[in-house]
Amino acid sequence: MALGHEPFVAGWPVLVALVVFALALPRSRRGAALAGWLFGLGYFAVTLRWIVEPFLVDVARHGWMAPFAIFLMAGGLALFWALAAWGARALAGPRPVAVLWLAVLMALAELARGHLFTGFPWGLPSYALIGSVWDVWFAWVGPYGLTFLVAAVACVTAYCLIRGWTLIWPALVGVLFATLGVGAVTPVAPEPADRVVRVIQPNAPQHLKWDRDWMGVFYNRALDLTQAGEAADVVIWPETSVPALVDTAGPLFAQMAEAARGAPVVAGIQRASQGAYFNSAVVLDGPTTVADIYDKAHLVPFGEYIPFAALLRPLGLGVLVDQVAGFTPGAGQGLLDVDGLGRVRVLICYEGIFPEEITTGTDRPDVLLILTNDAWFGQGAGPRQHLVQARARAIEQGVPVIRSANTGISAVIDARGDIVARLDLNEAGYLDAAVPRALPETVYARMGDWPLAVLLVLCTFAGVVARRRFAVDGGQAGA
């Protein structure tokens, strides 16, 4: 099932694997829970294999944590699937209808995985469908809704096979036509705007990024890329690409503004205030003016901060807490006004994987801007999967995405999720591209995940009521 995701790019294994899992679902609750956990363990371990990469940047200090990180992450996330499989058998018992409940409960489990304990929606099954005819559904029901549709198609197929019905093929053809029909009424790809954005990709390897002998090299490289060629209308630097704190970066800001030749610059930088540190983005308007600033609000647990750090120190885990420098979450919404782009929603790295992070309604942005440093994720699946999620954000909101990544993949993505221009991994350079215009606000942008959450909860509640009534009626009939 994990082969459906980048870098393999073959969405069909997701559907096939879910069908096989539904057909093989054990008849007991305990067996189903164990099968669900093992299935999830394999899926998440392969999909999230890139998670060991940050621990290999400094192998001497952190390498020993890598095996524990991948097993604990995959095993923890697999608990959601174990609970879904257990619930399917709890609601339906050994009856074949359990596979239909599996679709409902797996979708509910994925929705919970994306929100509980700060959430981690990486690797949603629906992301395997980006680039196919199915991806238009992101604009209608979002990534969780499409995950539900995929699970429903797989589990209905399994149910038809179990029952020996021959209606499966007309049903699948109907689903295909419904998908194509939705695609036909979706707005056409937008026209590019007049303004040209320059995306800077300095390509600073993580093990050298904060080396004092190399910081100036990467900064000067970004500066040279900014002033190369014809001037752009807006210049974008990636996450933490300015090697200074905001308060001491005045001379650097002046150099950046001069290199941009009058264009505003949006750049990732760190900021200190009253003993707290922030992972930030600044908007430079001229050599001495910081026009706006955004502090990253959704931090990476155990990467940018340690949850419950105050409780861990008394337990003798102060060494673990001290190994993470620790950022403080910002309080803003990330909406910045940038001349040449309009209203911009800034998402710093990790924030880009959460569809609900984006402000909509009256504050709907004109552009989504993702500043990231994917050097942590290695050269394989991590950066590619991160890019796929940026494409999903574009489709969900009907808004173009500009992605500036330190080592790649940097890209300009239109509101249909199509990549207009890109810079590949481990390539230093700049990307000049006209930014496409936004499309009308999508259904998902207006509604969010609430309709799906209510539907899944009501279905589960109805299943519990039906199960109790079935048990009472069955008991009376037996008596």
Side-chain angles (χ1 to χ4, degrees), residues 198-442:
R198 171 166 296 182
V199 180
I200 302 300
Q201 185 170 298
N203 192 34
Q206 191 58 44
H207 68 287
L208 298 175
K209 180 175 170 61
W210 298 115
D211 188 308
R212 292 186 178 275
D213 295 331
W214 283 93
M215 286 192 296
V217 173
F218 301 132
Y219 166 76
N220 288 326
R221 180 183 296 172
L223 207 62
D224 292 341
L225 293 171
T226 299
Q227 63 189 2
E230 296 184 5
D233 297 301
V234 183
V235 178
I236 312 295
W237 285 33
E239 179 186 15
T240 60
S241 53
V242 182
L245 297 174
V246 170
D247 291 344
T248 61
L252 303 186
F253 289 162
Q255 293 175 339
M256 294 164 64
E258 181 181 359
R261 288 161 286 185
V265 179
V266 183
I269 191 172
Q270 297 180 63
R271 186 174 75 87
S273 176
Q274 298 180 345
Y277 288 86
F278 300 88
N279 188 352
S280 306
V282 294
V283 180
L284 305 180
D285 187 9
T288 60
T289 303
V290 177
D292 215 337
I293 191 166
Y294 166 66
D295 299 321
K296 184 177 181 180
H298 200 148
L299 302 178
V300 182
F302 302 103
E304 292 178 312
Y305 79 105
I306 294 292
F308 311 112
L311 300 178
L312 293 177
R313 289 188 183 278
L315 298 177
L317 297 176
V319 174
L320 176 63
V321 174
D322 292 337
Q323 284 193 359
V324 177
F327 285 112
T328 298
Q333 292 184 324
L335 286 167
L336 308 178
D337 291 313
V338 180
D339 186 28
L341 290 179
R343 195 73 161 155
V344 176
R345 173 62 165 102
V346 177
L347 300 162
I348 299 179
C349 193
Y350 188 61
E351 293 178 318
I353 75 172
F354 297 94
E356 70 276 7
E357 296 285 332
I358 300 164
T359 303
T360 56
T362 56
D363 291 325
R364 186 184 188 224
D366 301 303
V367 177
L368 301 180
L369 176 58
I370 299 177
L371 308 182
T372 186
N373 174 29
D374 286 357
W376 285 108
F377 302 156
Q379 303 177 22
R384 292 177 171 85
Q385 291 175 10
H386 206 191
L387 175 64
V388 164
Q389 293 171 86
R391 296 177 66 184
R393 300 296 86 81
I395 304 170
E396 292 158 8
Q397 301 296 324
V399 172
V401 171
I402 301 170
R403 187 174 192 271
S404 179
N406 168 31
T407 56
I409 304 168
S410 297
V412 174
I413 304 166
D414 72 17
R416 289 289 301 271
D418 296 324
I419 297 176
V420 175
R422 63 183 283 168
L423 276 172
D424 286 326
L425 277 171
N426 305 318
E427 178 182 338
Y430 66 87
L431 186 67
D432 285 349
V435 181
R437 300 185 186 277
L439 292 173
E441 192 173 24
T442 66

Side-chain angles (χ1 to χ4, degrees), residues 49-74 301-303 306 317-324 376:
R49 60 194 180 280
W50 53 266
I51 210 164
V52 304
E53 296 287 348
F55 300 96
L56 303 182
V57 172
D58 187 348
V59 176
R61 292 182 62 195
H62 306 128
W64 63 273
M65 300 181 187
F68 299 98
I70 187 64
F71 179 79
L72 291 175
M73 175 64 79
F302 302 103
I306 294 292
L317 297 176
V319 174
L320 176 63
V321 174
D322 292 337
Q323 284 193 359
V324 177
W376 285 108

